[in-house]
Structure formats: structure tokens, C-alpha cells
Amino acid sequence: MTEAKNSTTKAHVIVALDSSEMSDKVLSWCKSNVFPFAGKITLLHSYGYSPLPLFPGAGAKYGLSAEGVNEQMRNEAMKKGEDFLKKAGKTCVDFGFRPDELKLLIDKPAASTKKAIHDYIAKAKPGILVVGSRGMGTIGRTFLGSTSDYLMHNCECTV
């Protein structure tokens, strides 16, 4: 009885997107393979920025403040991320599926995107996480590490 009930339950699906051209391909794949079976759709985007170190008084003579510059960089990162998620959400609507949630993660300084996504997934507990690949190749993944590989090996949900 439990098995039959689980087979009819629609899963919460989180689709983690970056701002590469691969994001459209991921959404297109989800349109046919995942969204028709989803109970809840969340589009997730993690955007990082690197703040400037704070040096007391540096630039103050010229009206510049590292705190102000860092706040502006953070605001610009948020705006870019929100704009990207809105565009991805519109793509889903054009495909006939309305996302239930658009979630923007702003990475903590010196934190990795893969860790930010992993931490969010641990809290949200979706049934399925969909991630794409930017096509870095073996050498790029070796030196930079693959976000999708990390998530596939460390998340508790189906990836």
C-alpha cells in the first residue's frame, strides 16, 4: 500500500540553474522529463560576489568607501540573479509550467556555490534536484571541481 501511495505522490523538484546557455537546455529537458510529474517546482540560482577587503579610511578622502562598494556589488549581484530567475520563470511559463518558487541564493563571501546549493537542498528536502553541466570538460572539472558532481555525491535527494 505504501509503495502505491508513493508512486502517485508528486515530488518537489528543484532545478539549479547558472546563467550559462546550458540553463535553457536544462529547462527544455525538464519540460519533457520532470515538470509533468512535479508537485512543486522551484527554480534555484546561486550568485556569488567577492567583496573588497575593508581597510579603515582607504578612499575616504575621495568619497569612496569599501563598505559602500561592497554593498553596491551585493545589490548588483542580487539584481542580476533576480533578473535571471524571472527570465527562467518566464521560459517555464512559455513551456506551460508555472514555477511555484524562484529562489536566489547569494553566496556568503569566500563560500562556494556548490556548498550554498547543498545547504539549501539540505533544508528544503526536495524529492529531485536537477542540475546541468556547463561542459567544462575533464581538465576544467579537475582544477575547478564540478558543482554537479559535488551535489550528486553529497545531496540526500535524487540528483
Side-chain angles (χ1 to χ4, degrees), residues 93-126:
V93 169
D94 292 346
F95 288 159
F97 299 95
R98 182 171 302 280
D100 298 286
E101 182 180 19
L102 302 176
K103 181 66 179 173
L104 176 64
L105 303 177
I106 299 291
D107 299 350
K108 295 175 185 154
S112 71
T113 296
K114 55 187 156 194
K115 182 71 171 126
I117 294 171
H118 177 267
D119 291 349
Y120 179 76
I121 296 302
K123 290 178 192 170
K125 300 191 183 313

Side-chain angles (χ1 to χ4, degrees), residues 14-19 23-24 27 41-47 77-93 99 101-106 120:
I14 295 180
V15 182
L17 301 165
D18 62 9
S19 53
S23 294
D24 288 336
L27 290 174
I41 299 171
T42 300
L43 300 183
L44 175 68
H45 180 60
S46 180
Y47 201 96
M78 287 179 62
K79 174 84 170 100
K80 284 181 182 179
E82 289 167 357
D83 290 348
F84 171 74
L85 279 172
K86 286 177 186 173
K87 180 180 172 253
K90 183 183 179 320
T91 299
C92 286
V93 169
E101 182 180 19
L102 302 176
K103 181 66 179 173
L104 176 64
L105 303 177
I106 299 291
Y120 179 76

Side-chain angles (χ1 to χ4, degrees), residues 10 24 28 59 122 131:
K10 293 192 169 205
D24 288 336
S28 180
V131 292

